[in-house]
Structure formats: structure tokens, C-alpha cells
């Protein structure tokens, strides 16, 4: 069978995140590789999922109420007017929403800008679509954006830029000035911004996330992807979405239907309960971000002490 594999399959290597996660599980080690919350999902949304299953919401389904609620949230949080009937696609997690977004706009040979370091899934999706990843390094230790370096990375073949903020793996929240620079590049080179905003409510040091879509001239050239996963500690439920201009949202929805047909029905029902959570719930997640940061720094220090003793 090996000889029958496609060239894409042959060039794909195992996920380093999954390999490290399996190794951590095997060795009973602390897993710093995979980005999943270590706090339980709210009881009310677990109860909503159980209720949906018991009420036989177990077939193919698209819950329009999710789109309605997301449109309300985008207006209240970012001041964006989103049509819930045409501008939102429900997908199997942010990962599928992102992949479908890439497949909907990238042609063979198109270049896509990625900020380095970045989540490993991005490159794989771009490669599958025939695109060419182009890396733009962020400057440590604060992972700042060098405007000149970014602008030099745009070419006539650049089709899109991927913006992950709050950022995985660094936790960086792109500042308004940095968003303005990225937006200027998109407008100048007529590029699409594809965002990954799954950590939108989990930020450090009282920083506030803003979507680049709210900047002048950007909503019509931005595809926002996000999910329930991090906000509600349900990474295994696979409920995500893309918010985009109607033509792109339709294309993403069509690709989603061809690949997976429907996001899990009972978890879509539970998503309605989750998205209607009071504002106080989302505010508490900033405290989670602080605890996560402290835990990470503690584990790094512990590792360094162990390394020094070996």
C-alpha cells in the first residue's frame, strides 16, 4: 500500500504535538505540548449536552441559533455587523473551519504569510491546498512584530496572511498598532486575513483581544475562525465556526458539508447554552490566563532545576 500513497501523504510527517502528548501520557509526565484547558467545563453546558442526547438531537443538524448568538456577540464585542443567515459557517472545531477557509481561497502557488512561531496545523492546511507558507519571524522576548520585515514578505503572489491572536504558543496579544500594520499590508496587497481567535477570552496581564476585522476596510477581507474549545474547556466537542463575507462563508460551509457534513448535533445544542453565558463567566477566564502563565513558568523553572542536576 505504501506505493499507493499520494505525494502529499508521503511528505506529511506525524504531528509533533501528538507525539509529545502520547509520550507524556505514556510516561505520566506533565504535558506542555498540547493546548487544552485543565479546568472542567461548566456544569450547565454539560447538562445541556446530556439533555440534547436524551431528547434525540442525534442526527445531522445545523443549529441556526448558534449563528444568531455569534452575530449578537460580534456586534456587542467588536461593533461588527454580521448577517447570521449568510456570514457564518458552523464547522467541526476551529481546525476544520481554518482548513475550509484555506481551501476556499488558496490556489496552487499562492503564498500565505505565517508569523513564526506558529501552530503546526497552519502549514499543513496550506500545503494541502497547494499554497506556499512564507514565515515572518516575531522578535523575542516579547514576540513583537517588525513592520519592515512584514512588508518585505508581501509579494504579488501573496493571497492571505494568518493572524493568531491571542497567539499560540507564546500567549502574545497583538497590539492595536501591530494590527494596523497588518491591515495596511492586507489593503495594499489586496490580501485576505484569516484569523484564529480561539484564545480570545484567555489573555494575560489585563490585555484585551481585538479582532483585525474591526479595522477600516478589513471586515470585507477577513475570515475569523474560533470555537468553544478553549473558552469552555471542551476541546473534544469539536464545535467551531468561521465568520466571513457571505461568498467566503458559503464556500466554507460547502467544503465543510463535503468533508464532515455536520458538527456534532448534541454539542451544537449545548453550544447555545455556552454562548449565552453571562459576561461574568468570560471575565473569570482572564484569571485562568494568569494561573496558566504562572503554572507554565513554574514548570519551566522546575525543568531547568532538574536539567541542572543531571
Amino acid at each position: 500500500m505504501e506505493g499507493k500513497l499520494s505525494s502529499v501523504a508521503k511528505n506529511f510527517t506525524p504531528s509533533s504535538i501528538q507525539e509529545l502528548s502520547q509520550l507524556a501520557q505514556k510516561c505520566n509526565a506533565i504535558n506542555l505540548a498540547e493546548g487544552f484547558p485543565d479546568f472542567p467545563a461548566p456544569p450547565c453546558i454539560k447538562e445541556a449536552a446530556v439533555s440534547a442526547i436524551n431528547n434525540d438531537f442525534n442526527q445531522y443538524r445545523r443549529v441556526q441559533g448558534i449563528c444568531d448568538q455569534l452575530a449578537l456577540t460580534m456586534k456587542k464585542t467588536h461593533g461588527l455587523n454580521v448577517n447570521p443567515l449568510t456570514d457564518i459557517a458552523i464547522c467541526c472545531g476551529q481546525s476544520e473551519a481554518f482548513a475550509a477557509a484555506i481551501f476556499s481561497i488558496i490556489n496552487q502557488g499562492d503564498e500565505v504569510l505565517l508569523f513564526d512561531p506558529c501552530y503546526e496545523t497552519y502549514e499543513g492546511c496550506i500545503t494541502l491546498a497547494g499554497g506556499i507558507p512564507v514565515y515572518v519571524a516575531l522578535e523575542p522576548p516579547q514576540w513583537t512584530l517588525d513592520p519592515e520585515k512584514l512588508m518585505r514578505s508581501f509579494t504579488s503572489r501573496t493571497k492571505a496572511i494568518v493572524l493568531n491572536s491571542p497567539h499560540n504558543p507564546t500567549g502574545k496579544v497583538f497590539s492595536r498598532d501591530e494590527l494596523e500594520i497588518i491591515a495596511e499590508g492586507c489593503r495594499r496587497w489586496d490580501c485576505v486575513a484569516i484569523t484564529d481567535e480561539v484564545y480570545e477570552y484567555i489573555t494575560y496581564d489585563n490585555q484585551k483581544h481585538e479582532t483585525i476585522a474591526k479595522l477600516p476596510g478589513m471586515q470585507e477581507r477577513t475570515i475569523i475562525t474560533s470555537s468553544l474549545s478553549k473558552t469552555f474547556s471542551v476541546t473534544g466537542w469539536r464545535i467551531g465556526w468561521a465568520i466571513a463575507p457571505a461568498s467566503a462563508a458559503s464556500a466554507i460551509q460547502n467544503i465543510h458539508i463535503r468533508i464532515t457534513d455536520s458538527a456534532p448535533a448534541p454539542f451544537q445544542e449545548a453550544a447555545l447554552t455556552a454562548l449565552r453565558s453571562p459576561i461574568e463567566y468570560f471575565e473569570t477566564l482572564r484569571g485562568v490566563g494568569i494561573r496558566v502563565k504562572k503554572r507554565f513558568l513554574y514548570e519551566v523553572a522546575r525543568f531547568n532545576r532538574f536539567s541542572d542536576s543531571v
Side-chain angles (χ1 to χ4, degrees):
M1 182 61 72
E2 184 175 349
K4 300 296 185 181
L5 295 178
S6 69
S7 58
V8 170
K10 290 177 181 177
N11 289 328
F12 262 40
T13 57
S15 163
S16 58
I17 293 175
Q18 292 300 316
E19 287 186 323
L20 288 169
S21 295
Q22 291 168 11
L23 186 60
Q25 185 175 13
K26 179 180 178 181
C27 301
N28 195 28
I30 294 170
N31 184 359
L32 295 178
E34 197 164 22
F36 57 87
D38 62 354
F39 53 91
C44 62
I45 71 169
K46 290 188 284 189
E47 292 165 5
V50 172
S51 176
I53 292 171
N54 288 335
N55 283 284
D56 287 323
F57 290 106
N58 299 310
Q59 308 305 325
Y60 302 128
R61 190 166 179 80
R62 182 178 188 273
V63 178
Q64 178 60 37
I66 294 176
C67 302
D68 297 338
Q69 189 62 42
L70 287 171
L72 290 173
T73 299
M74 294 304 292
K75 180 64 175 179
K76 183 176 181 179
T77 305
H78 301 293
L80 294 176
N81 292 315
V82 173
N83 187 329
L85 298 177
T86 61
D87 299 350
I88 302 175
I90 302 171
C91 298
C92 293
Q94 183 276 337
S95 294
E96 191 199 31
F98 179 86
I102 289 290
F103 298 156
S104 70
I105 65 168
I106 298 302
N107 292 313
Q108 189 77 28
D110 287 342
E111 294 179 351
V112 181
L113 302 188
L114 297 171
F115 293 113
D116 188 31
C118 70
Y119 181 43
E120 66 176 4
T121 294
Y122 304 153
E123 179 181 349
C125 293
I126 294 165
T127 302
L128 280 172
I132 302 170
V134 176
Y135 289 93
V136 181
L138 298 173
E139 301 294 331
Q142 299 301 320
W143 308 104
T144 52
L145 173 63
D146 182 332
E148 292 184 4
K149 184 184 296 183
L150 173 64
M151 291 305 176
R152 287 198 302 268
S153 300
F154 284 97
T155 73
S156 60
R157 293 189 297 173
T158 305
K159 187 72 167 290
I161 184 169
V162 175
L163 174 61
N164 173 209
S165 181
H167 184 254
N168 179 4
T170 69
K172 167 192 173 63
V173 177
F174 281 73
S175 68
R176 170 58 77 94
D177 288 345
E178 289 174 324
L179 294 180
E180 293 281 8
I181 292 165
I182 296 167
E184 171 59 28
C186 290
R187 291 189 296 260
R188 184 185 303 177
W189 291 93
D190 192 23
C191 294
V192 174
I194 303 175
T195 73
D196 175 352
E197 304 184 18
V198 296
Y199 289 102
E200 59 191 311
Y201 295 107
I202 304 177
T203 58
Y204 302 140
D205 305 325
N206 293 318
Q207 297 182 86
K208 183 174 175 57
H209 163 68
E210 292 185 283
T211 182
I212 196 171
K214 69 186 293 183
L215 299 185
M218 288 304 297
Q219 185 174 1
E220 60 264 34
R221 61 173 69 253
T222 299
I223 300 173
I224 298 170
T225 67
S226 193
S227 75
L228 292 186
S229 294
K230 316 299 183 181
T231 305
F232 296 97
S233 193
V234 288
T235 58
W237 283 17
R238 312 318 298 147
I239 301 296
W241 51 83
I243 302 174
S247 57
S250 176
I252 291 167
Q253 187 71 27
N254 289 339
I255 292 169
H256 155 71
I257 290 171
R258 299 305 194 280
I259 296 174
T260 57
D261 201 297
S262 169
F267 297 143
Q268 286 190 65
E269 294 294 332
L272 275 177
T273 299
L275 293 171
R276 291 169 178 164
S277 297
I279 188 65
E280 290 78 13
Y281 173 79
F282 299 98
E283 291 295 332
T284 63
L285 293 176
R286 297 190 180 184
V288 171
I290 293 170
R291 293 198 300 274
V292 169
K293 182 177 183 180
K294 289 180 177 178
R295 173 69 180 274
F296 176 76
L297 294 175
Y298 167 78
E299 297 298 346
V300 169
R302 193 174 75 155
F303 176 78
N304 290 336
R305 289 196 300 271
F306 172 78
S307 299
D308 291 342
S309 65
V310 174

